[in-house]
């Protein structure tokens, strides 16, 4: 089994788009086409972003010393993008709370997972970030490649998710390249073993926690028991089947020579930029997370 390692494209520029969503108009409680399960899984995901993405930034920045100049620049842009994502998902989560959802259980679960990872050496946090950034990038790819996922969503909220997806694709190589740099003196076998182990661990937690989080939000909408499980599993694994559709891309992570940019999906970025409402605003000052 062989695969060619293609590094991050030399002409890739990571451009923070400082956009704000949902400030002018109200977000309906069941913003995803009135669907309890669709709203629940996206809301469960969004709950993880403010603290989760701050954790990604902290994990990557811990290894920026001695990074080659191009990677150092990319880490800076990645930091800015993730800080704005945290801000926008925090605002979105407040709107969800304002419409009556109690997110506290979901937030406590994210904090619990992060505390466990933070108790390990910093390289474990970087490995977890690198694995989760691949996860995010393949979700983002699917979200933009297949308009069906957000077609029924409230316009402004669907725009928030598309914007986030585009930037996740754009910076998908940063945590990975930082990992390659940080472990450059490791033997190949050790690198692969740690990488694979961490990916299996974070995937298990991601699937279990997001499923539990979505079921909790569905319970708050009065959908429980077998009915809730059946509707959620159908949505995630069958139609539109996001988890099923990313399975192949997830597996590629384990191939020798894997790199996130082996799959050059910048056509999705170009399509996003060309779509209405995508206004890149480079150069605006944004407060970075510490
Ligand atoms: Fe993000
Ligand atoms: Fe990211």
């Amino acid at each position: 089994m062989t695969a060619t390692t293609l590094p991050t494209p030399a002409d890739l520029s990571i451009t923070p788009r400082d956009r704000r969503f949902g400030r002018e108009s109200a977000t309906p409680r069941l913003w995803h086409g009135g669907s309890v399960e669709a709203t629940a899984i996206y809301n469960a995901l969004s709950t993880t972003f403010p603290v989760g993405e701050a954790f990604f930034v902290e994990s990557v920045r811990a290894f920026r010393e001695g990074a080659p100049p191009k990677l150092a620049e990319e880490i800076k842009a990645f930091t800015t993008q993730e800080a704005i994502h945290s801000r926008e998902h925090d605002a979105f989560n407040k709107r969800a709370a304002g419409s009556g959802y109690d997110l506290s259980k979901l937030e406590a679960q994210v904090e619990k997972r992060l505390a466990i990872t933070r108790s390990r050496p910093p390289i474990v946090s970087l490995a977890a970030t690198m694995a989760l950034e691949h996860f995010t990038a393949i979700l983002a790819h699917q979200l933009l490649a297949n308009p069906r996922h957000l077609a029924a969503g409230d316009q402004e909220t669907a725009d928030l998710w598309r914007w986030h997806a585009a930037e996740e694709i754009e910076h998908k190589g940063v945590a990975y390249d930082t990992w390659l740099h940080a472990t450059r003196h490791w033997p190949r076998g050790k690198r692969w073993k740690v990488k694979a182990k961490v990916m299996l661990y974070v995937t298990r937690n991601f699937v279990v926690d997001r499923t539990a989080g979505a079921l909790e939000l569905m319970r708050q909408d009065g959908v429980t028991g077998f009915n809730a499980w059946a509707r959620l599993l159908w949505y995630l694994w069958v139609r539109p089947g996001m988890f099923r559709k990313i399975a192949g891309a997830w597996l590629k992570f384990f191939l020798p020579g894997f790199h996130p940019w082996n799959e050059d999906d910048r056509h999705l970025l170009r399509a996003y930029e060309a779509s209405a409402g995508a206004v890149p605003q480079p150069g605006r000052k944004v407060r970075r997370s510490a």
Side-chain angles (χ1 to χ4, degrees), residues 134-145:
H134 177 57
F135 219 101
T136 314
I138 60 180
L139 284 168
H141 176 103
Q142 181 55 224
L143 209 64
L144 291 185

Side-chain angles (χ1 to χ4, degrees), residues 50-106:
V51 285
E53 302 212 325
F55 166 80
F56 293 170
V57 165
E58 141 202 332
S59 306
V60 166
R61 290 180 80 190
F63 289 91
R64 72 188 153 158
E65 288 306 320
K70 182 168 185 284
L71 179 58
E73 268 310 302
E74 287 175 355
I75 290 174
K76 239 162 115 180
F78 159 82
T79 299
T80 307
Q81 286 190 334
E82 296 294 37
I84 307 174
H85 300 169
S86 285
R87 182 193 74 198
E88 287 311 297
H89 280 275
D90 187 47
F92 172 79
N93 296 346
K94 287 196 170 92
R95 294 196 292 282
S99 71
Y101 287 115
D102 176 5
L103 304 175
S104 57
K105 257 194 188 168
L106 284 72

Side-chain angles (χ1 to χ4, degrees), residues 20 37 45 62 77 86 94 107 161 177 188 213 228 241 243 270:
R20 287 172 188 268
E37 59 272 28
L45 258 177
S86 285
K94 287 196 170 92
E107 286 165 348
W161 286 93
D177 287 342
R188 278 185 66 167
F243 283 4
R270 287 189 287 273

Side-chain angles (χ1 to χ4, degrees), residues 14-285:
I14 300 174
T15 311
R17 300 156 182 80
D18 187 5
R19 298 203 42 202
R20 287 172 188 268
F21 300 89
R23 305 300 203 281
E24 313 291 325
S25 54
T27 306
R29 176 174 167 117
L30 294 177
W31 63 267
H32 207 307
S35 161
V36 168
E37 59 272 28
T39 302
I41 189 65
Y42 283 87
N43 285 9
L45 258 177
S46 183
T47 306
T48 70
F49 288 141
V51 285
E53 302 212 325
F55 166 80
F56 293 170
V57 165
E58 141 202 332
S59 306
V60 166
R61 290 180 80 190
F63 289 91
R64 72 188 153 158
E65 288 306 320
K70 182 168 185 284
L71 179 58
E73 268 310 302
E74 287 175 355
I75 290 174
K76 239 162 115 180
F78 159 82
T79 299
T80 307
Q81 286 190 334
E82 296 294 37
I84 307 174
H85 300 169
S86 285
R87 182 193 74 198
E88 287 311 297
H89 280 275
D90 187 47
F92 172 79
N93 296 346
K94 287 196 170 92
R95 294 196 292 282
S99 71
Y101 287 115
D102 176 5
L103 304 175
S104 57
K105 257 194 188 168
L106 284 72
E107 286 165 348
Q109 182 62 12
V110 180
E111 293 287 3
K112 191 182 121 192
R113 294 284 187 210
L114 289 183
I116 295 170
T117 309
R118 283 193 176 110
S119 71
R120 311 286 310 279
I123 193 71
V124 176
S125 291
L126 179 62
T129 298
M130 171 267 289
L132 282 164
E133 279 284 283
H134 177 57
F135 219 101
T136 314
I138 60 180
L139 284 168
H141 176 103
Q142 181 55 224
L143 209 64
L144 291 185
N146 186 349
R148 173 182 210 140
H149 293 293
L150 288 168
D154 156 66
Q155 181 68 46
E156 183 81 354
T157 312
D159 281 348
L160 160 70
W161 286 93
R162 285 190 202 100
W163 159 82
H164 192 170
E167 295 201 342
E168 288 303 321
I169 290 175
E170 199 169 67
H171 73 226
K172 67 179 178 172
V174 177
Y176 202 84
D177 287 342
T178 308
W179 158 260
L180 289 179
H181 177 70
T183 61
R184 64 196 177 282
H185 301 308
W186 288 22
R188 278 185 66 167
K190 180 183 174 188
R191 213 186 222 173
W192 187 86
K193 223 169 111 185
V194 171
K195 190 180 110 157
K197 230 168 114 175
V198 168
M199 184 50 134
L200 291 173
Y201 177 75
V202 302
T203 300
R204 183 245 169 227
N205 291 346
F206 182 92
V207 172
V208 169
D209 290 356
R210 295 306 79 74
T211 302
L215 287 169
E216 164 61 17
L217 297 179
M218 292 174 75
R219 187 191 63 76
Q220 295 179 25
D221 276 317
V223 182
T224 58
F226 177 78
N227 184 26
W229 273 98
R231 280 166 64 172
L232 183 63
L233 293 182
W234 181 269
Y235 185 79
L236 289 176
W237 293 95
V238 183
R239 191 168 294 219
M242 172 65 91
F243 283 4
R244 174 175 51 82
K245 285 179 173 148
I246 63 169
W250 178 83
L251 268 175
K252 284 186 184 160
F253 183 83
F254 298 92
L255 290 176
F258 167 82
H259 187 280
W261 282 109
N262 285 359
E263 161 103 23
D264 188 346
D265 47 3
R266 281 178 293 172
H267 62 283
L268 294 175
L269 287 179
R270 287 189 287 273
Y272 170 74
E273 296 291 7
S275 68
V279 188
Q281 299 176 330
R284 284 183 54 176
K285 283 261 180 273

